[in-house]
Amino acid sequence: MDITSIGFYGAVCGALAGAAPFLGSIWVRIIIGAVVGIGAAFVLPTIRGMIGY
């Protein structure tokens, strides 16, 4: 894993963890986490293209 991937997923997970207590039950947080992870995986290639990496 390169530094771009680590930084990007770290930022996404950090933001999600910061909001986690306010998201409801454990199952809601798991579903939201999965959706955010899938979304992040789709967005990362676009971000890499924009920064020329």
Side-chain angles (χ1 to χ4, degrees):
M1 211 178 237
D2 62 290
I3 192 71
T4 304
S5 299
I6 293 169
F8 180 73
Y9 288 115
V12 169
C13 291
L16 185 60
F22 307 106
L23 297 177
S25 73
I26 185 75
W27 296 110
V28 171
R29 291 189 304 238
I30 289 171
I31 292 168
I32 291 171
V35 170
V36 169
I38 291 167
F42 278 108
V43 170
L44 181 58
T46 304
I47 292 173
R48 282 186 156 181
M50 291 186 336
I51 63 173
Y53 183 61

